[in-house]
Every structure is written in C-alpha cells, then in structure tokens.
Amino acid sequence: GGNASRSPEAKAPALPRICISDSAPGGCDVTKEASVSVAWPDEAATPRTNLEPPPQRWRRPGKTISKGHRNYHLMLNLQLGIRHAVGKSAAKPMRELSRADFDPREKFWTRFPPAGSKTTPPHSSSEFRWKDYCPMVFRHMRKLFAVDPADYMLAICGDDALRELSSPGKSGSFFYLTQDERLMIKTVKKSEVKLLIRMLPSYHKHVKRYKNSLITRFYGVHSVKPYGGQKVRFIVMGNLFCSEHRIHRRYDLKGSSYGRKSDRFEEETGDATTLKDLDLNFAFRMQRPLYKELHEQLRRDCAFLESEGIMDYSLLVGVHFCDDIVPASKMALSTFTTSPELSANMLSACQSSVSMPEPCLSAKDLDKMADHRNFRKPLARLGAHLPARAERTSMSNIDPFLSGGRGFSSGRSKSGGEAYDVILYFGIIDILRDYDISKRLEHAYKSLQTDPSSISAVDPRLYSQRFRDFMGRIFIKEC
C-alpha cells in the first residue's frame, strides 16, 4: 500500500576533522588537526561517551565522496572555492545592491596553485581557477533566505562534506548533497548559468517580495576550471527534502502525460525513486486557508516564470506518511542560524588564515556550536512540513486529460478510497529552461507522434496554465 514501511539500513558517517587554533607561547597560533567528538544533528541532546556517530534509522541518500572517487578532487576544489568566496565577501561590509552587481560580467576569477598564494591556501589537488558569479547578489540572497555565512561554509566545507546522488539523468547533471542534507549542489550547463544570470534581477525582486515563493532557492553560482581540464559550472541551492521526517514517496509533476510514467513497477519503487504524473494515485486534501495560500502562490510563481519565458519546470513533491514511521532524525533542519559570536569568530579566522584548507574553529567555538545546534528549529514556510490528507484515487479521477481523455475536467478529483495523514514538502524546480529553438523543435517532432497538448515542451503561457490546472486537481480543499 501507499504507506507500507520498509526496513531501514543504518549507515554510519565518518567523524569530521576540525582544525583547532591553540595559542602558543609568544602569541603565535599553532594549528592542530584533531578528531573531535561533535554532536551530530540527529543525535539526542544527551552527551555520548564514545566516538561513534548516532545510528541512522534508514539509509542516507547518496554515496560519500572519499579519496579515490572520480569527483574527489572536484569536491576539494569546490570546498576551497566556497571557503575563499564566503570568507572574502564577509571581509567587506554589506551594502545596498546596485545595477552593476547584476551585470553578467560581474564575475571574479581566483587562481588556486597547489603551493598556495597570498590569498589562497596550499592544497593537495592540481592547480585550478575558481569563478564567482554576481557574488554580492547571492550574498544578499543568502541573507534573505536566513542562511548564516558560517553555517553555510560548515555545511559545504566539512570533512567528507558531500555525497553524490544517483548517476546523471537526461540532463547530464550531477547532484551533490551536504552531510546535513540542507544544501544541494548541481552541475549545470553554460546555457543554464547564462539564463539564471539574465533573470537574476527579476528573480531577486520576486523572492524578496514573496517570502513564501515555491521557486528553487539559489545560494550561489560558481565554476571550477582545473589546469588543462574542462570547466565545471554548478549552482548551490536549498534541498526541498531537508526534513526530520522520512520521505516515503517523491513525485516530479509537470501536468503533462507524454513520457510521464516511471519505468519501474510499483513493487520496485523505493524511497529514493522519483515518480511522475501518471504514477500519481493520491489527491492531497488541505485546510481551506492553506489551500488558498498555496494556489495563490502557485499563480504568482507561474506568472513570474511565464514572464521570463520559462517552461518545462516541475513541482517536486515529497510525502511522509505519519502512521508509517515515527519522526526518526533531527538532522537536516532547515534553518542556517548560528550564534552571532560564533559566526564572527569563524569568519574572522577564515579571512585571516590562508594556510588551512578546513574551516578554523577554537575549542570554545566548538562547544558553542554543539550547544546551539540543539536549539535549531525548522524554518516555517509554505512548501515545508505541511499537514494534509492523502486520499487514494486514480489518475482518471484526478485528470481525464492525463489518463487519455480530451481536455481538462472542470470538476475536482474524486477519491472514495483509503486516506492517510501525511506531511508534505514541495517546491518548483528545474526553472532554468526557456522555450528556445531546441524546445520548439522538440515540440514539433513529438507533435507528429502524439497529442501536442500532452507534451512537456510547449509555449510558456500554455505550460503555466496547464501546470496550475493540474495542481488544482492534486491539491484540493477540505469539504
């Protein structure tokens, strides 16, 4: 059934290595590398007496990138670059944004030789160049999204901080997850970077005006160019499924039908499987105020994407069945808040020292961080931790258009089947695709094979309308 439980597998992550600065005689700092017992985000508040990390009640997604992994050096370069970028920007006072900050030419190259330089630390990787795109804009955006600079750096730059998710899909992108699961890093094409930078002024204005926007939260755009190698561009963004609850079902919904069915049978479907429109067999009933707020925000977000000529985006939905398993992990809570004193100490250390590739914390700071972590709370916003009632139904009841009928039904979905208390997580993803010549050709080609209105690649205006109509049948209000 939709709420059948599966036996989780425990996987113990490695303990982090922290650089601790001790004050030596004469006032000089001596750097020591030590294994420190740090309270993990999913650990109970009671102290542990050994160095073993807390047990996981289910397998954590992805594979930790360790030495020997094909992308190990890319991860090291990325961590060095993020540490340099955040530390450098924190050294400058925050100021109001100007039009020049949004200029596509507003990007900064930094050379990272293995031996180090006046501004970069020595490292074990080969020489590479690091590029920051519109750094002041993304600094403002991280502040807007309540992302603390020190916490942001810790999430990405910790030892074995990244886990690689599944192999690349049709887009060819790789996905990386931080150990605390709050951040997602995605490799992107040059055209996607250009599109994001182009729409950055309007994107910033939109998310600043609508704090509950469901559109992906972008925290940074960067690139790494190894000496003699290929440039890799990537974006840092929030993870929608950053939750203390297990996500039992995942859906990628577009409102189209052509090719929108998973190639796995239902019995093969696991927690990590992303299902599609034609696999959906639930409608989600919400309280009236929440229902109204959700659809009003969907209207605003779709209007924005339409005005930017964007299409082929999805609503990514995560479903936790409340009766299936008790909330199992306190890791991956959505705030990025750290005590102001700790943030200042950490950033100051990282600005003043270029000899250490890891973030630099004093023993006093470590104690503060461990104490503070217990007080983290989820950041309440639309699309995260929303209660609903999942009613089992069929796609023909949700939308005759998707199941083979003609046009859209004017009625609401009918269920009459089993119902479950659920918690929902969702947001609009894959927004870096406009209706360019390749998408127009795709539409023309597929129109020869099927109903043109069932294809994902359609005009942005039609895409927006179809998307909202379909979501109106998925998310319904209580009677």
Side-chain angles (χ1 to χ4, degrees):
N3 63 340
S5 74
R6 291 174 172 78
S7 58
E9 297 180 34
K11 185 175 181 180
L15 282 170
R17 290 199 319 252
I18 306 292
C19 279
I20 304 174
S21 288
D22 291 333
S23 183
C28 298
D29 284 343
V30 177
T31 303
K32 300 179 181 178
E33 186 180 275
S35 292
V36 182
S37 179
V38 179
W40 289 80
D42 55 347
E43 188 171 7
T46 55
R48 299 176 65 86
T49 57
N50 56 43
L51 295 181
E52 292 180 3
Q56 294 291 320
R57 291 189 179 137
W58 67 83
R59 189 202 302 269
R60 301 176 78 183
K63 179 182 179 182
T64 299
I65 301 176
S66 55
K67 198 165 185 177
H69 190 284
R70 66 181 182 279
N71 288 325
Y72 176 71
H73 287 286
L74 175 62
M75 182 195 74
L76 292 182
N77 297 349
L78 189 155
Q79 291 175 319
L80 286 164
I82 290 286
R83 177 178 175 270
H84 171 79
V86 176
K88 180 181 177 181
S89 66
K92 301 176 182 178
M94 195 72 149
R95 58 170 175 77
E96 291 296 316
L97 290 174
S98 66
R99 183 177 298 180
D101 293 318
F102 293 93
D103 193 309
R105 293 167 295 184
E106 185 72 2
K107 45 196 174 186
F108 300 91
W109 280 105
T110 304
R111 180 172 161 264
F112 280 78
S117 67
K118 291 181 179 180
T119 58
T120 63
H123 57 90
S124 60
S125 186
S126 58
E127 180 175 326
F128 68 94
R129 292 209 304 166
W130 168 268
K131 184 191 282 188
D132 266 330
Y133 296 81
C134 302
M136 184 57 73
V137 177
F138 285 105
R139 182 182 176 186
H140 272 261
M141 244 141 28
R142 291 192 294 270
K143 183 179 179 181
L144 177 65
F145 295 140
V147 178
D148 180 84
D151 230 3
Y152 180 74
M153 195 187 320
L154 276 175
I156 298 176
C157 302
D159 187 40
D160 287 333
L162 304 182
R163 300 203 304 276
E164 185 177 87
L165 300 184
S166 57
S167 58
K170 286 190 282 187
S171 68
S173 296
F174 285 92
F175 292 86
Y176 305 99
L177 197 62
T178 55
Q179 288 285 358
D180 57 16
E181 300 186 12
R182 292 176 296 175
L183 295 175
M184 185 83 72
I185 298 170
K186 177 185 179 183
T187 62
V188 291
K189 301 173 183 175
K190 181 179 180 179
S191 59
E192 292 175 301
V193 171
K194 289 179 68 175
L195 178 56
L196 177 55
I197 300 303
R198 187 205 79 193
M199 64 186 283
L200 201 53
S202 52
Y203 171 85
H204 176 261
K205 181 179 179 181
H206 181 80
V207 295
K208 186 176 181 180
R209 181 177 182 184
Y210 301 111
K211 300 295 192 295
N212 278 332
S213 174
L214 298 171
I215 294 174
T216 302
R217 295 185 165 195
F218 295 114
Y219 300 147
V221 180
H222 314 280
S223 71
V224 168
K225 174 71 168 63
Y227 182 77
Q230 188 174 5
K231 182 189 291 185
V232 180
R233 302 169 182 86
F234 56 91
I235 54 177
V236 184
M237 52 192 176
N239 176 22
L240 286 176
F241 295 156
C242 164
S243 166
E244 73 273 24
H245 291 101
R246 181 177 182 177
I247 303 298
H248 297 106
R249 286 288 183 273
R250 304 162 189 259
Y251 295 96
D252 180 289
L253 305 175
K254 293 179 181 287
S256 57
S257 61
Y258 186 74
R260 299 299 297 162
K261 187 171 180 64
S262 172
D263 55 2
R264 298 192 181 191
F265 295 105
E266 185 171 352
E267 58 270 19
E268 298 176 347
T269 299
D271 292 2
T273 303
T274 301
L275 304 172
K276 301 180 182 180
D277 301 67
L278 295 180
D279 301 306
L280 183 64
N281 56 356
F282 291 102
F284 302 104
R285 199 172 289 279
M286 313 175 111
Q287 294 181 353
R288 287 172 182 262
L290 188 56
Y291 165 86
K292 182 178 180 181
E293 185 181 3
L294 168 62
H295 286 286
E296 179 61 23
Q297 191 57 52
L298 280 171
R299 183 192 65 78
R300 294 171 183 146
D301 289 340
C302 288
F304 163 72
L305 295 172
E306 181 184 337
S307 69
E308 294 294 321
I310 305 298
M311 41 72 66
D312 213 19
Y313 44 88
S314 305
L315 189 76
L316 186 63
V317 181
V319 186
H320 167 80
F321 292 91
C322 297
D323 296 335
D324 184 71
I325 190 169
V326 292
S329 171
K330 295 304 177 188
M331 71 178 192
L333 297 184
S334 345
T335 57
F336 281 79
T337 53
T338 296
S339 65
E341 186 181 352
L342 171 58
S343 301
N345 288 348
M346 179 178 172
L347 289 173
S348 175
C350 290
Q351 291 161 22
S352 61
S353 171
V354 296
S355 62
M356 292 171 287
E358 292 93 353
C360 317
L361 298 175
S362 68
K364 184 179 177 182
D365 288 337
L366 284 172
D367 291 336
K368 288 181 182 179
M369 183 169 64
D371 291 340
H372 182 77
R373 186 181 282 112
N374 295 327
F375 295 98
R376 266 200 196 128
K377 296 181 180 179
L379 185 63
R381 64 181 179 88
L382 189 65
H385 203 93
L386 298 185
R389 191 84 170 149
E391 300 180 351
R392 190 177 288 277
T393 184
S394 66
M395 184 51 65
S396 59
N397 285 334
I398 293 175
D399 202 329
F401 171 79
L402 292 188
S403 60
R406 284 290 188 181
F408 290 98
S409 167
S410 60
R412 296 297 180 194
S413 64
K414 306 170 186 177
S415 59
E418 301 169 340
Y420 308 87
D421 289 324
V422 298
I423 295 174
L424 300 178
Y425 300 83
F426 50 81
I428 298 175
I429 63 168
D430 295 339
I431 68 165
L432 301 180
R433 200 67 166 105
D434 57 0
Y435 197 49
D436 59 9
I437 186 64
S438 65
K439 284 296 180 181
R440 293 173 190 271
L441 290 173
E442 179 186 336
H443 177 82
Y445 174 72
K446 290 182 177 178
S447 295
L448 301 175
Q449 304 171 4
T450 187
D451 182 353
S453 57
S454 70
I455 301 169
S456 292
V458 295
D459 171 84
R461 182 189 59 79
L462 174 59
Y463 194 97
S464 171
Q465 184 64 51
R466 184 180 65 186
F467 183 85
R468 286 189 294 115
D469 285 344
F470 181 61
M471 299 312 158
R473 290 164 176 78
I474 298 301
F475 301 100
I476 56 181
K477 61 186 174 183
E478 288 186 344
C479 301

